Amino acid sequence: MYTLGIDIGSTTSKCVILEDGANIVASSLVVGGIGTSGPEQALSRVFQDSGLTREQMDGVAATGYGRNRCGETELKVSELTCHGLGAHFVFPQVRTIIDIGGQDAKVISLDDAGRMQNFLMNDKCEAGTGRFLDVMANILCIPVNDFGDWAAKAKAPASISSTCTVFAESEVISQLAAGTETADLVAGICASVAGRVASLAKRINIVPEVCMSGGVAQNSGVRLALAEAIGQPIEFSPLAQLFGALGAALYAYHKIK
Ligand code: ADP
């Protein structure tokens, strides 16, 4: 039995095809989220890579910010449920998920069976999201994918005190003008995002083990700063950005079964 999960986010579109709710047959990730051709591209890539067709899918579930704009036949399911299912599939021992995506951050508590018990979300302020990192990457002319390597080279991480992206932007430009090293600025920017998300996480009972999901999980600068800020190690999987799509494919499997 094949099930397909589609996660249409604010900045990226992701797909996962699962066989019998157990094996990942193929996945795709395309930059371009809601309102772009990203979802269509992600779908054609996952079918191309798997050699399967839409007709061969026994169930399809859509999640993410753009899930309601995705066809009419699919099941629609919340990102919270999907990140919980996806994270539990990869890390059955995880009880707390910290999801940082393009435009929001969420902290999700799971029970032993991987069911969501509680959550907190910041979707009001860019400061603790991937968007903040993307804006800063633009100013520094460094791909956000390289932030982890830069942060690791920092000798004295800069302090970024502004809570608003626009003010933080001018703060970074002033520090660049004052001669602050790029590595120190990148480490400061990562620590600033980590600090904001840690404050959110501390409002929920952080039960170990903890993992990250969402695209920002790939940024080791944020990951390490966050682990320090919450005082817990954070599990990382290269699949972290696909947890939503994986969870949607699992949801479709359980619905059909
Ligand atoms: P959404 O689902 O809202 O589209 P994602 O969970 O896909 O968001 O996360 C997108 C964010 O992930 C981007 O804003 C970017 O900051 C970050 N990101 C994506 N890929 C990488 C990478 N390879 N290294 C570091 N950060 C990344």
Side-chain angles (χ1 to χ4, degrees), residues 2-64:
Y2 292 112
T3 54
L4 167 67
I6 313 168
D7 178 2
I8 305 175
S10 61
T11 58
T12 60
S13 301
K14 288 81 71 176
C15 290
V16 168
I17 295 179
L18 266 186
E19 186 178 10
D20 297 332
N23 304 315
I24 297 175
V25 175
S27 65
S28 63
L29 191 157
V30 169
V31 176
I34 184 168
T36 71
S37 61
E40 279 311 314
Q41 286 184 48
L43 280 167
S44 42
R45 266 187 217 179
V46 83
F47 288 134
Q48 200 176 343
D49 289 359
S50 62
L52 296 165
T53 62
R54 172 74 176 79
E55 290 66 40
Q56 286 174 278
M57 296 300 113
D58 297 289
V60 181
T63 189

Side-chain angles (χ1 to χ4, degrees), residues 22-132:
N23 304 315
I24 297 175
V25 175
S27 65
S28 63
L29 191 157
V30 169
V31 176
I34 184 168
T36 71
S37 61
E40 279 311 314
Q41 286 184 48
L43 280 167
S44 42
R45 266 187 217 179
V46 83
F47 288 134
Q48 200 176 343
D49 289 359
S50 62
L52 296 165
T53 62
R54 172 74 176 79
E55 290 66 40
Q56 286 174 278
M57 296 300 113
D58 297 289
V60 181
T63 189
Y65 195 56
R67 63 182 177 276
N68 292 323
R69 303 270 302 272
C70 180
E72 276 166 27
T73 52
E74 293 90 0
L75 299 159
K76 316 281 191 228
V77 57
S78 88
E79 291 144 271
L80 295 161
T81 301
C82 288
H83 281 274
L85 288 170
H88 182 74
F89 180 86
V90 176
F91 298 119
Q93 70 285 12
V94 154
R95 297 289 171 270
T96 308
I97 306 164
I98 302 180
D99 168 40
I100 315 181
Q103 67 169 24
D104 62 20
K106 309 176 193 79
V107 184
I108 308 165
S109 300
L110 301 181
D111 67 12
D112 294 1
R115 284 179 299 247
M116 186 179 70
Q117 289 202 303
N118 196 3
F119 77 94
L120 281 173
M121 172 145 112
N122 162 31
D123 59 355
K124 300 280 179 290
C125 165
E126 271 181 2
T129 69
R131 167 93 187 129
F132 182 86

Side-chain angles (χ1 to χ4, degrees), residues 87 91 94 96-99 209-213 234-236 243:
F91 298 119
V94 154
T96 308
I97 306 164
I98 302 180
D99 168 40
E209 299 182 7
V210 181
C211 78
M212 276 186 80
S213 67
I234 295 180
E235 298 284 348
F236 167 70
F243 278 0

